[in-house]
Amino acid sequence: MAQTNGHTTKPSSSAPSQNFATLAVHAGSPHDPVTGAVIPSISLSTTYAQTTPGAPIGDHEYTRSSNPNRLNLETCIAALEKARYALAFSSGSATTATILQSLAAGSHVVSVSDVYGGTHRYFTKVAAAHGVHVTFSPSIELDISDLIRPGETKLIWIESPSNPTLSLVDIASIAQTAHAHDIKVVVDNTFLSPYIQNPLAHGADIVVHSVTKYINGHSDVLMGVAAFNSPELHERLSFLQNAIGAVPSAFDCWLAHRGVKTLHLRARASSDSALRIATALSAHPAIKAVNYPGLPTHPQRAIALKQHNHGLGGGMLSFRISGGPAAAARFCSATRIFTLAESLGGIESLVEVPGVMTHAGIPKEQREAAGVWDDLVRVSVGVEDAEDLEADVLQAVEKAASGTEGVGNGAAAAKTNGNSH
């Protein structure tokens, strides 16, 4: 056990021989030694008793620094990501901010171009104001050596698959180049979850998630997490976690820990259904392009086979529809099961148009350079019956292509400023 600036944490000690589903159910879930409760209770106390000054009875002193439910969740995520440590934050954006805050003024970061809109906003509007500058690349594997500034570049930021174009990056290749220059590699693994991809196993130094999405999986928790192996990173990031105070509540940690116990079931179901939908869309004459790494036609399918567990493509896909932005909007309004809404990774299926929703805050020229066209539709496939989902998508495509205005499940008008996932 290590005490770091008031934050007591433990490295993950789950048996490495156990498989994913076993770890998801049992890691970080000790039976209560007093009551025998199989599921840990919610600890809402903000402070914890001490026997003598500076000697807490247990592992915790004050809930901003640590909490039993947060420690349980962090232990579970570390086990699932095959990491030594994990730290939970109040949101995915708070996770990103804390990692960037760990860099000194004057630091340089290289990032893939098609990142989540909130990450792009933080890099360009907040980090830049603190003296941390980011260079975006649409082809990071080809450009990485030229983009590194010796002595200045401290971090490479990857989304693989990227949001929302589902482009893949060879993590091991980037890590090899970065580590030769003593540069850390961060991979946002939100789109796949630990069930499908474990970036640390491919050489990444930090893996981050919006827990809000697949890990929690029920669209009722806002949270982020970072997992890593370095004790030095743990000391620095846990200090910032405590000092900044962007931590999740005990109740949210309990909910997310409950949600992750079924991640393997949900991720497999959504991935299987997404492949079925992507295949159907690829054969439809009204669809201009389908982005899904589970398809054999995906330009980086070889990377998926190398990096993705079981070669799965995940539950996210995107496509371009003939008829421009109006057709994309008609499609989203015509679905009956899919809801027109931002976010992703929940049990329910969602659709959105990134250009006017999640990525609206990125200038149009930059969006289009990254492949985020105004006729691009992003789909988050849930765990409903695959046959029903496929039928819903195809009937919505027909209505969108014919110019028929739909009044479906997502027909409510969306007012957004591009601030959400």
Side-chain angles (χ1 to χ4, degrees):
M1 181 167 29
Q3 182 95 11
T4 308
N5 300 301
H7 184 171
T8 305
T9 60
K10 297 179 181 177
S12 173
S13 58
S14 298
S17 60
Q18 292 178 340
N19 293 313
F20 190 96
T22 305
L23 292 172
V25 172
H26 294 291
S29 295
H31 296 168
D32 189 291
V34 176
T35 68
V38 173
I39 299 299
S41 59
I42 304 171
S43 178
L44 296 177
S45 181
T46 58
T47 191
Y48 298 86
Q50 305 189 17
T51 54
T52 58
I57 290 175
D59 294 336
H60 312 283
E61 300 174 8
Y62 184 65
T63 196
R64 171 170 43 78
S65 301
S66 66
N67 170 278
N69 298 111
R70 195 165 92 219
L71 179 59
N72 288 342
L73 175 63
E74 291 171 341
T75 300
C76 183
I77 300 304
L80 297 181
E81 277 292 8
K82 303 177 181 179
R84 188 176 183 189
Y85 306 102
L87 295 173
F89 297 85
S90 55
S91 68
S93 294
T95 309
T96 299
T98 302
I99 293 171
L100 269 290
Q101 285 279 343
S102 71
L103 303 179
S107 296
H108 174 243
V109 176
V110 178
S111 171
V112 294
S113 294
D114 50 337
V115 291
Y116 156 57
T119 300
H120 186 279
R121 180 176 59 248
Y122 188 88
F123 284 171
T124 58
K125 305 294 185 182
V126 183
H130 294 156
V132 175
H133 301 285
V134 181
T135 299
F136 295 96
S137 170
S139 52
I140 196 166
E141 290 174 71
L142 299 176
D143 302 338
I144 185 65
S145 295
D146 294 334
L147 294 175
I148 289 174
R149 302 174 186 174
E152 294 181 24
T153 305
K154 303 298 182 184
L155 209 64
I156 308 295
W157 192 279
I158 297 170
E159 284 187 15
S160 185
S162 62
N163 182 359
T165 64
L166 284 298
S167 297
L168 304 183
V169 174
D170 188 327
I171 298 170
S173 175
I174 294 295
Q176 183 178 18
T177 302
H179 293 162
H181 296 271
D182 196 27
I183 298 169
K184 297 274 190 294
V185 176
V186 180
V187 177
D188 187 335
N189 199 28
T190 296
F191 260 36
L192 289 184
S193 87
Y195 178 69
I196 299 180
Q197 180 173 260
N198 299 112
L200 300 183
H202 297 282
D205 299 284
I206 305 174
V207 54
V208 299
H209 291 270
S210 171
V211 174
T212 311
K213 313 308 189 294
Y214 282 106
I215 288 177
N216 178 62
H218 291 77
S219 302
D220 53 11
V221 165
L222 180 69
M223 194 186 302
V225 72
F228 43 88
N229 289 314
S230 164
E232 292 76 22
L233 274 174
H234 177 259
E235 182 176 7
R236 178 62 174 157
L237 294 179
S238 61
F239 170 81
L240 291 172
Q241 180 196 45
N242 183 52
I244 297 172
V247 295
S249 72
F251 183 52
D252 280 354
C253 289
W254 186 88
L255 282 173
H257 196 188
R258 182 176 71 164
V260 77
K261 292 177 185 295
T262 59
L263 174 59
H264 53 293
L265 305 175
R266 293 183 284 103
R268 169 67 78 169
S270 63
S271 187
D272 289 347
S273 295
L275 176 58
R276 178 170 177 162
I277 292 168
T279 301
L281 286 171
S282 297
H284 199 288
I287 302 303
K288 297 162 64 175
V290 177
N291 304 314
Y292 183 64
L295 288 173
T297 54
H298 189 282
Q300 295 142 333
R301 177 60 182 161
I303 295 177
L305 291 172
K306 181 174 74 168
Q307 287 182 183
H308 299 184
N309 299 326
H310 318 293
L312 292 173
M316 298 298 300
L317 62 99
S318 62
F319 64 90
R320 296 183 65 190
I321 188 168
S322 298
R330 285 195 300 269
F331 170 85
C332 292
S333 295
T335 56
R336 296 167 181 157
I337 298 173
F338 287 82
T339 298
L340 173 56
E342 298 182 349
S343 198
L344 59 101
I347 53 174
E348 70 290 324
S349 295
L350 305 175
V351 291
E352 65 116 358
V353 179
V356 294
M357 295 175 69
T358 53
H359 291 65
I362 302 175
K364 181 179 176 67
E365 296 77 15
Q366 294 181 31
R367 286 202 312 270
E368 292 183 347
V372 186
W373 302 92
D374 288 343
D375 59 2
L376 184 75
V377 176
R378 191 185 76 178
V379 181
S380 174
V381 181
V383 299
E384 303 94 338
D385 188 276
E387 183 177 355
D388 294 337
L389 293 176
E390 180 186 8
D392 190 32
V393 165
L394 293 179
Q395 67 83 24
V397 168
E398 291 295 333
K399 288 181 179 177
S402 66
T404 304
E405 295 295 335
V407 185
N409 196 30
K415 183 178 181 180
T416 178
N417 56 8
N419 286 341
S420 301
H421 260 80

